[in-house]
Amino acid sequence: MKKVKRFLFNASLMVFTTVFLRIISLSFGVWLSGKVGGEGLGLYSLTSSVYRLGITLSSAGIGFASTRIIAEELERNNPREAARAAERCLITSLLFGSIVALVFFVFAKPISVTFLGDIRTASAIRMMAISFPFIVMSGIINAYFTAVGRMSGTALPLLLDQFVRMTVTYVMLLGFDGKNLEYACLSLIVGGIFAEVISFALSYFFYGKDRKKLLCGNHKKTKLAKRISSIAFPVAISSVIRTSLHSIEHMMIPSGLRKRGVNQSQALGLYGMITAMVFPVIMFPSAFLYAASDLLIPEFSACNASGDKRRLKRLTAKVMQLTSYFSVGVAGIIYGFSYEIGDVFYNSEDCGYYIKILAPLVVFMLYDHLADAILKGLGEQISVVKYNIVDSVSSVLLVWMLVPMYGINGYVFVVWFGEVLNCLMSSVKLSRRTMTSVKFVTWFFVPLASVTLSVAFTKQILLFLHGTVATSVFSLVIALAISSLLYLLLLRIFKCITLNDYKLLKKAFS
C-alpha cells in the first residue's frame, strides 16, 4: 500500500500540474490562432517538426536510461550508484545537446530552404538551437525525480516554464499586425528559450538538494557507461528514426497540398488548422493519463527487477482496464460535442468537423502510449523501436501517395492508419509479455454504450432547458461536466467500477 500511495500522490500531482498547464496552453493557443491565424500557426508547426528532431538528437535516449537505472538501483538498495548515474546522464546530455545545437545553428538556412521549403523559418531554427542543451538537461532531471518518486521537484519548474513562455510571447506579439509571420514564429521560439533556461535553473536547484539524500546510502559500483549505452542506444535509434520520419512526413504535407492545387498560404493554413488547432483539443484530455503513464516506467522496472510475475500481471490488467474506461469516455464526449467545441474555441465549423473525425483516435493514442511505457519499463524497448519505425515508414509513404491526391483528408487517413497500426502492435506485445488478456466487452463495449447514452441524454436536457447545447465556454464546460458525471454513473451501474475500487482509492489517499 505504501507504493500505491506514493504512486497515487505522484500521479495526482503530475495530473493536476499537466492538466492545469494544458488548460492554460489551450487557452493561449486559441488566442494565438486569432492573433497569427492558421498560416502563422502552420509556419510555426513546420518549424516545430525540426525542433522536435533537434531535441530527439540531443537527448539520445539518455533520459529513459536514467529513469530505468535509477529505479533499478533504488530497488536494489544502492542509492549512491543511483545518484552517480543521474550525474553521469546529466553530463552526457549537456555534451550531446551542445553539439546538436551548434550544428543546427550553423546550418539553419540550408535546413529551412532545402527541407522546409520556406526561408522564413531560418531565424527561428537558429534561435531554437540555443535551447537544446537546457531542454535535454531538464529532461534528465525530470527523469531523476520520476525514478525516485518525488514529482514535487518537477511541478514548479513546469508551471514557471509555461508562465515565462506565454508572457514573453505575449509581450513580443502585442504590436503584431498579422503580416510578418516570420516575426510571429520567432516570437514563439524566443518565448520558449527564456522559459527553458529559467525552468532548468530552478529544476537544477531542486535536483541538487534532493540528490544529497542518496549520497548517504549504500554504494556498489556498476558499469554505468555500458548500462546507459545498452538502454539508451536502441531508444535513441528508435527516437531519431521515428522523429526524422515524422519530421519528413510533416514537411511533405504542405508540399503535397500544393501539388493538390492549393497555394502556399492556404496549404500552411490547412496544415496549421489540423496540427495547431484540432490536435491540441484532441490531445488535451490525454494530460490525465500521460502524466500517470510516464510514472509507470520505474514502477514496472522495479516489478520486473523483483521477478514478481503475479504482481506484474495484476498491475497490467488494472492499468489497461482504467485506460480503456478513460479513453473511451474521453473519445465519446469529444466526438459528441465536436461541433460545439470547434464553434466555441475557434468559431470554425471545419475545426469541428475534423475534431469529430479524429476524436475516436484518442482510444488508440492513449492505449499505445500506455503500452509503450509499460514495455519500456519491462526492458522491451527494442520491440517499441520496431513498432515505431514500422508506423513512421508507413505514414511517410502514405503521405507521399495520398496527400497530393486527396489533400488534407488524405493526411487524416494517414493519422488514423498509423495510430491504429502502432496501437495494435504494442497492445498485442504487451498482452503476450505479461500474459494479460483484453476483456473487450467490459473494457470497451460497455463504456462505449455508457458514453453514447450520457452524451445523448445531456444534449436532450440542454436543448429542452435552453434550446441550445453550448454557445460559450461556460456552457460548453457545463455540458462536458454533465456528460462526464453521467458516464461515471453508468459505469457504476453496469458494475465496471466497483465498491472495491472506491475503497482502494480511499485507503490509498487516506
Side-chain angles (χ1 to χ4, degrees), residues 286-451:
S286 66
F288 291 92
L289 194 65
Y290 275 24
S293 62
D294 288 340
L295 293 173
L296 290 174
I297 294 177
E299 295 295 328
F300 276 88
S301 294
C303 189
N304 190 48
S306 65
D308 191 344
K309 294 183 179 179
R310 290 184 60 186
R311 179 170 173 260
L312 174 62
K313 183 177 181 179
R314 185 172 65 252
L315 182 60
T316 303
K318 179 56 69 174
V319 170
M320 290 171 68
Q321 177 189 12
L322 295 177
T323 301
S324 299
Y325 294 162
F326 178 79
S327 61
V328 172
V330 165
I333 291 173
I334 293 177
Y335 181 89
F337 293 97
S338 54
Y339 283 106
E340 288 80 6
I341 294 171
D343 181 58
V344 169
F345 284 163
Y346 304 112
N347 192 28
S348 170
E349 187 175 340
D350 287 340
C351 277
Y353 171 74
Y354 286 109
I355 288 171
K356 193 179 196 70
I357 290 177
L358 293 170
L361 267 183
V362 171
V363 178
F364 298 96
M365 288 177 175
L366 297 187
Y367 227 81
D368 177 51
H369 187 84
L370 169 80
D372 283 357
I374 295 177
L375 287 172
K376 287 178 180 178
L378 297 176
E380 295 284 352
Q381 56 266 27
I382 298 296
S383 298
V384 177
V385 169
K386 295 177 183 177
Y387 304 150
N388 289 340
I389 292 175
V390 170
D391 169 23
S392 299
V393 171
S394 302
S395 296
V396 169
L397 291 175
L398 287 174
V399 165
W400 177 67
M401 291 187 295
L402 298 181
V403 173
M405 295 173 61
Y406 301 103
I408 200 67
N409 290 326
Y411 174 58
V412 170
F413 174 82
V414 173
V415 174
W416 259 98
F417 179 86
E419 291 295 341
V420 172
L421 176 65
N422 205 336
C423 176
L424 290 176
M425 291 188 294
S426 298
S427 299
V428 169
K429 178 64 177 181
L430 178 64
S431 295
R432 291 176 177 174
R433 177 66 173 78
T434 61
M435 302 300 291
T436 306
S437 57
V438 177
K439 301 177 181 179
F440 287 99
V441 175
T442 56
W443 291 5
F444 290 99
F445 295 131
V446 174
L448 180 60
S450 300
V451 75

Side-chain angles (χ1 to χ4, degrees), residues 268-284:
L268 284 175
L270 285 171
Y271 174 62
M273 180 185 68
I274 297 295
T275 58
M277 297 166 72
V278 173
F279 272 124
V281 172
I282 295 296
M283 297 307 298
F284 170 74

Side-chain angles (χ1 to χ4, degrees), residues 20-177:
F20 178 75
L21 291 175
R22 286 287 180 94
I23 293 173
I24 300 299
S25 179
L26 183 61
S27 303
F28 190 64
V30 172
W31 177 80
L32 275 177
S33 67
K35 192 72 175 176
V36 304
E39 185 182 356
L41 291 176
L43 190 66
Y44 175 67
S45 297
L46 197 61
T47 308
S48 296
S49 63
V50 177
Y51 191 47
R52 287 189 294 270
L53 177 60
I55 294 172
T56 303
L57 291 170
S58 302
S59 59
I62 302 169
F64 171 67
S66 65
T67 302
R68 277 277 309 273
I69 294 172
I70 293 170
E72 289 171 357
E73 293 306 316
L74 292 176
E75 182 71 15
R76 295 165 181 155
N77 193 26
N78 193 16
R80 288 183 66 185
E81 185 66 357
R84 194 167 76 96
E87 198 69 13
R88 181 72 62 85
C89 289
L90 194 63
I91 295 171
T92 306
S93 67
L94 172 60
L95 176 63
F96 276 91
S98 301
I99 294 173
V100 174
L102 180 61
V103 172
F104 273 66
F105 190 89
V106 172
F107 294 99
K109 188 174 181 179
I111 291 172
S112 65
V113 174
T114 306
F115 296 103
L116 299 186
D118 199 318
I119 189 62
R120 293 177 295 178
T121 61
S123 57
I125 293 173
R126 192 173 291 110
M127 289 298 296
M128 74 184 183
I130 299 173
S131 64
F132 288 165
F134 301 100
I135 292 174
V136 294
M137 287 191 293
S138 293
I140 298 298
I141 293 174
N142 290 340
Y144 164 82
F145 280 114
T146 299
V148 299
R150 289 187 282 274
M151 298 306 298
S152 55
T154 66
L156 186 57
L158 286 173
L159 293 171
L160 181 63
D161 177 290
Q162 192 68 19
F163 174 77
V164 173
R165 187 184 304 269
M166 291 190 303
T167 301
V168 174
T169 304
Y170 177 78
V171 170
M172 291 187 69
L173 289 176
L174 272 178
F176 180 66
D177 58 2

Side-chain angles (χ1 to χ4, degrees), residues 209-226:
K209 292 184 66 176
D210 193 275
R211 184 173 173 270
K212 293 178 181 178
K213 300 176 183 178
L214 303 182
L215 298 176
C216 303
N218 299 327
H219 190 203
K220 181 180 179 182
K221 283 191 175 183
T222 61
K223 297 180 180 179
L224 280 180
K226 182 178 180 180

